[in-house]
């Protein structure tokens, strides 16, 4: 079964607006990662946040993690048409073996 | 630095036929992953290798799927015989760290372009 569930399933915004997508998971984790997938570049790693971190930034990306609610959010600021893609969260279980499980994804469309 | 290489990029076969996919990870990466991604879904882990040993193959349909990573470098995933529901994109990824490391920078996965399989 999928560990992560993204919400919403699909999102359509105008260029320049911010996009927020959420990920919920079920069991304790060590790390949570966000990936982007589009037809041009395939699956690409965006950012990793550890379970002891609450917020992380990378360029126009801001990720938050709330381990008490078992949820994470990815904010893309000042969106561009090139941000059009599917976004997945990936979690690994806590403990010795770091099996990574991908969520169902949010499909983002940025309209120029 | 060269990325993860996969071949072929596309494959069309009839059900009950066999097919094989090849993956060459980034040099020096200890861990190699094979994922199946059905249209509209997230990638599903089929098998994970650390060097040439299997770490996890709990979701690999072993009656028809097999994978090997000889010499701890490149890997082959085989389906024999294929079913209609095997139509998907098969992704290979590699990461620097081993499966039992928690150092975050080692866990980033680098993905290949994938092989799109269509079973008719």
């Amino acid at each position: 079964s999928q560990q992560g569930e993204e919400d919403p399933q699909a999102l359509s915004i105008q260029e320049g607006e911010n996009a927020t997508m959420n990920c919920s998971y079920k069991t304790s984790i060590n790390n949570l990662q966000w990936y982007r997938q589009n037809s041009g570049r395939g699956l690409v790693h965006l950012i990793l946040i550890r379970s002891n971190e609450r917020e992380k930034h990378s360029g126009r990306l801001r990720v938050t993690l709330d381990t008490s609610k078992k949820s994470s959010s990815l904010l893309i600021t000042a969106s561009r048409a090139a941000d059009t893609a599917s976004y997945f969260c990936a979690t690994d279980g806590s403990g010795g073996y770091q099996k990574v499980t991908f969520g169902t994804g949010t499909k983002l469309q940025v309209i120029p | 630095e060269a990325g993860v290489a996969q071949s072929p990029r596309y494959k069309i076969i009839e059900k009950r036929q066999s097919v094989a996919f090849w993956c060459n990870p980034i040099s020096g990466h200890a861990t190699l992953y094979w994922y199946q991604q059905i249209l509209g879904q997230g990638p599903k882990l089929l098998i994970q290798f650390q060097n040439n040993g299997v770490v996890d193959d709990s979701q690999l349909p072993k009656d028809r799927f097999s994978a090997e990573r000889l010499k701890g470098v490149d890997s082959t995933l085989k389906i024999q015989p294929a079913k209609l529901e095997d139509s998907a994109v098969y992704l290979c990824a590699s990461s620097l760290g081993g499966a039992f490391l928690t150092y975050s920078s080692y866990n980033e996965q680098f993905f290949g372009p994938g092989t799109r399989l269509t079973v008719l």
Side-chain angles (χ1 to χ4, degrees):
Chain A
S1 62
Q2 296 282 4
Q3 161 79 314
E5 298 287 337
E6 284 90 337
D7 167 60
Q9 288 188 340
L11 181 61
S12 184
I13 59 173
Q14 295 288 331
E15 201 166 30
E17 294 181 335
N18 296 340
T20 299
M21 50 205 88
N22 305 296
C23 168
S24 59
Y25 57 92
K26 297 173 184 173
T27 61
S28 297
I29 60 171
N30 279 319
N31 306 295
L32 185 144
Q33 304 179 56
W34 284 92
Y35 286 81
R36 178 182 64 210
Q37 185 176 41
N38 58 30
S39 57
R41 293 195 61 195
L43 254 169
V44 175
H45 180 267
L46 294 176
I47 197 166
L48 181 150
I49 186 166
R50 296 185 184 192
S51 59
N52 61 356
E53 296 175 315
R54 292 296 166 256
E55 188 170 314
K56 205 161 182 181
H57 296 257
S58 177
R60 295 184 295 112
L61 306 180
R62 172 178 169 253
V63 169
T64 61
L65 179 64
D66 187 336
T67 53
S68 66
K69 295 181 179 178
K70 292 186 171 58
S71 68
S72 173
S73 68
L74 171 67
L75 168 67
I76 304 173
T77 60
S79 63
R80 304 167 182 169
D83 295 327
T84 294
S86 291
Y87 292 80
F88 296 92
C89 67
T91 55
D92 61 2
S94 61
Y97 168 46
Q98 307 301 311
K99 177 178 179 177
V100 174
T101 305
F102 280 78
T104 52
T106 291
K107 198 165 187 176
L108 172 66
Q109 181 184 25
V110 180
I111 302 168
Chain B
E1 164 180 278
V4 176
Q6 287 188 251
S7 67
R9 293 294 307 276
Y10 305 91
K11 191 75 178 178
I12 300 174
I13 61 172
E14 305 224 336
K15 61 182 179 184
R16 290 189 289 273
Q17 285 187 323
S18 302
V19 63
F21 312 124
W22 174 82
C23 172
N24 190 23
I26 293 173
S27 177
H29 278 197
T31 304
L32 185 147
Y33 314 78
W34 282 104
Y35 290 90
Q36 179 193 60
Q37 186 175 24
I38 293 172
L39 188 64
Q41 299 182 17
K44 171 188 161 187
L45 180 68
L46 293 176
I47 189 166
Q48 179 177 345
F49 294 94
Q50 180 172 334
N51 298 314
N52 61 349
V54 175
V55 177
D56 188 301
D57 62 358
S58 58
Q59 298 189 101
L60 186 74
K62 299 181 187 62
D63 58 334
R64 298 184 300 106
F65 286 63
S66 64
E68 60 182 9
R69 189 184 183 196
L70 298 175
K71 301 179 183 178
V73 182
D74 55 353
S75 175
T76 304
L77 176 70
K78 296 179 181 176
I79 307 175
Q80 181 180 6
K83 293 185 176 181
L84 296 176
E85 58 260 38
D86 298 332
S87 292
V89 175
Y90 291 84
L91 296 164
C92 179
S94 68
S95 64
L96 183 62
F100 298 92
L101 286 177
T102 59
Y103 303 124
S104 59
S105 62
Y106 293 171
N107 292 344
E108 176 184 348
Q109 294 185 38
F110 295 82
F111 282 82
T115 297
R116 183 176 296 277
L117 174 67
T118 301
V119 182
L120 303 175

